């Protein structure tokens, strides 16, 4: 991993735990996978830059938690050596004008409606989910099944299975299955540190969508985190719009999450 920048900026709590999760994801990834997939991560100024060219997801090819132009220069230089699509994620509403000027000068272009960032406090009593779907934690022996299901649910290439399999059973991580009649049909993950938790990895096998699996997994992770002393939970999902509703966003709102801001996705120009 590259050495962090000496500079530092104030990063919101909601971003810090997400940054920590992805740095840890890199740290625990199998070395053979890191080498073969050219997986890289650089902590910088309280945020990070992460690159996995074979992954179609923005989340694995982005700069996160960095807004100061001098730090963005370093992140941009680092990203320029990486292949694939690359993005800067930022809350445009709170970024200083000089950062917006930097984005224009560098030729970054906003794409889509952005990502909604949501937060809630820990439940005061355990949540009870009723329905046909049950949840349980993933056993270490089931790590490959978990990883392959995540890839299938997110339409990731199968060669990313070792990455997601690696988080099962690791310190800080809690991985869950949602099951229907004893068959795993959906996945969910949580990374917790310092009283905060980031929720991710919520994917459902396509033929079992709309059966309540993700609502059950949200409750399971909130209960697990609360039992570990987590006080604040954060998560992100695609920003819904009139022409593109998002059931994940709706599930999170029903579960007590509140949207606190929208983070835009600015794509680096090819060749930068």
């Amino acid at each position: 991993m590259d050495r962090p920048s000496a500079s530092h900026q104030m990063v919101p709590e909601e971003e810090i735990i997400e940054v920590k999760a992805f740095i840890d994801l890199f740290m625990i990834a199998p070395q053979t996978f890191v080498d073969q997939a050219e997986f890289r991560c650089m902590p910088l100024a309280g945020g990070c830059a992460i690159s996995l060219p074979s992954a179609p997801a923005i989340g694995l090819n982005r700069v996160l938690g960095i807004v100061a132009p001098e730090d963005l220069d370093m992140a941009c230089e680092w990203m320029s050596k990486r292949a694939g699509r690359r993005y800067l994620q930022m809350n445009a509403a709170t970024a200083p004008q000089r950062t917006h000027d930097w984005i224009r000068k560098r030729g970054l272009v906003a794409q889509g409606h952005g990502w909604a960032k949501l937060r809630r406090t820990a439940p005061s009593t355990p949540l009870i989910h009723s329905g046909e779907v049950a949840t349980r934690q993933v056993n270490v022996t089931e790590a490959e099944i978990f990883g392959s299901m995540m890839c299938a649910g997110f339409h990731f290439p199968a060669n990313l299975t070792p990455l997601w399999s690696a988080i099962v059973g690791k310190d800080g991580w809690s991985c869950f299955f949602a099951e229907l009649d004893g068959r795993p049909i959906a996945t969910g993950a949580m990374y917790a540190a310092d009283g905060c938790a980031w929720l991710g990895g919520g994917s459902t096998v396509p033929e079992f969508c709309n059966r309540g699996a993700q609502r059950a997994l949200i409750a399971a992770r909130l209960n697990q985190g609360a039992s570990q002393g987590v006080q604040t939970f954060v998560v992100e999902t695609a920003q819904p719009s009139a022409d593109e509703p998002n059931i994940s966003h709706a599930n999170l709102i029903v579960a007590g999450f509140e949207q606190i801001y929208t983070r835009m996705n600015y794509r680096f120009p090819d060749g930068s």
Side-chain angles (χ1 to χ4, degrees), residues 21 43 73 77 107 119 136 159 187 197 271:
D73 280 336
E77 180 182 359
R119 176 184 64 199
R136 67 172 177 86
N159 68 341
T187 62

Side-chain angles (χ1 to χ4, degrees), residues 47-144:
C48 71
I50 190 165
S51 172
L52 182 53
S54 60
I58 292 175
L60 289 166
N61 292 281
R62 59 175 171 160
V63 174
L64 171 68
I66 301 171
V67 295
E70 57 269 26
D71 296 324
L72 287 172
D73 280 336
M74 295 179 65
C76 184
E77 180 182 359
W78 187 88
M79 274 293 192
S80 70
K81 300 177 176 65
R82 314 298 161 193
R85 294 180 299 171
R86 299 147 299 148
Y87 294 85
L88 165 65
Q89 287 192 323
M90 188 184 67
N91 180 3
T94 59
Q97 183 58 46
R98 64 194 189 108
T99 299
H100 288 281
D101 294 341
W102 184 94
I103 289 172
R104 282 194 300 272
K105 181 179 178 180
R106 289 283 186 168
L108 277 68
V109 178
Q111 292 198 338
H113 300 292
W115 287 10
K117 190 75 176 183
L118 301 101
R119 176 184 64 199
R120 70 153 288 169
T121 57
S124 57
T125 58
L127 302 176
I128 299 175
H129 176 78
S130 59
E132 59 182 345
V133 175
T135 60
R136 67 172 177 86
Q137 285 195 260
V138 180
N139 298 319
V140 174
T141 56
E142 301 169 307
E144 187 171 355

Side-chain angles (χ1 to χ4, degrees), residues 10-269:
M10 293 300 295
V11 181
E13 177 185 52
E14 297 80 19
E15 302 279 285
I16 290 173
I17 187 61
E18 186 181 351
V19 169
K20 287 181 178 179
F22 278 84
I23 292 175
D24 197 72
L25 176 66
F26 173 77
M27 294 295 292
I28 64 179
Q31 191 60 48
T32 52
F33 174 84
V34 171
D35 294 340
Q36 293 171 2
E38 298 183 342
F39 188 25
R40 302 290 184 269
C41 179
M42 177 181 68
L44 176 65
C48 71
I50 190 165
S51 172
L52 182 53
S54 60
I58 292 175
L60 289 166
N61 292 281
R62 59 175 171 160
V63 174
L64 171 68
I66 301 171
V67 295
E70 57 269 26
D71 296 324
L72 287 172
D73 280 336
M74 295 179 65
C76 184
E77 180 182 359
W78 187 88
M79 274 293 192
S80 70
K81 300 177 176 65
R82 314 298 161 193
R85 294 180 299 171
R86 299 147 299 148
Y87 294 85
L88 165 65
Q89 287 192 323
M90 188 184 67
N91 180 3
T94 59
Q97 183 58 46
R98 64 194 189 108
T99 299
H100 288 281
D101 294 341
W102 184 94
I103 289 172
R104 282 194 300 272
K105 181 179 178 180
R106 289 283 186 168
L108 277 68
V109 178
Q111 292 198 338
H113 300 292
W115 287 10
K117 190 75 176 183
L118 301 101
R119 176 184 64 199
R120 70 153 288 169
T121 57
S124 57
T125 58
L127 302 176
I128 299 175
H129 176 78
S130 59
E132 59 182 345
V133 175
T135 60
R136 67 172 177 86
Q137 285 195 260
V138 180
N139 298 319
V140 174
T141 56
E142 301 169 307
E144 187 171 355
I145 298 172
F146 177 85
S148 63
M149 284 182 61
M150 272 194 63
C151 288
F154 283 117
H155 306 291
F156 291 165
N159 68 341
L160 298 189
T161 296
L163 175 63
W164 300 114
S165 300
I167 67 175
V168 178
K170 296 299 193 299
D171 288 345
W173 292 92
S174 299
C175 299
F176 288 85
F177 281 142
E179 295 184 325
L180 186 63
D181 298 325
R183 174 186 174 181
I185 62 168
T187 62
M190 178 179 70
Y191 178 79
D194 303 320
C196 292
W198 171 82
L199 305 187
S203 69
T204 304
V205 176
E207 60 264 37
F208 292 101
C209 288
N210 303 316
R211 304 291 289 269
Q214 289 305 320
R215 291 193 298 274
L217 287 165
I218 292 169
R221 287 175 287 178
L222 289 172
N223 288 339
Q224 176 69 16
S227 73
Q228 296 175 344
V230 171
Q231 299 173 335
T232 303
F233 295 82
V234 300
V235 63
E236 61 283 338
T237 186
Q239 174 66 45
S241 63
D243 55 332
E244 293 185 26
N246 182 352
I247 190 170
S248 294
H249 188 277
N251 286 338
L252 290 163
I253 295 297
V254 169
F257 280 83
E258 176 187 5
Q259 182 168 340
I260 53 176
Y261 55 84
T262 300
R263 197 165 60 196
M264 293 306 298
N265 299 315
Y266 296 92
R267 184 172 176 178
F268 286 89

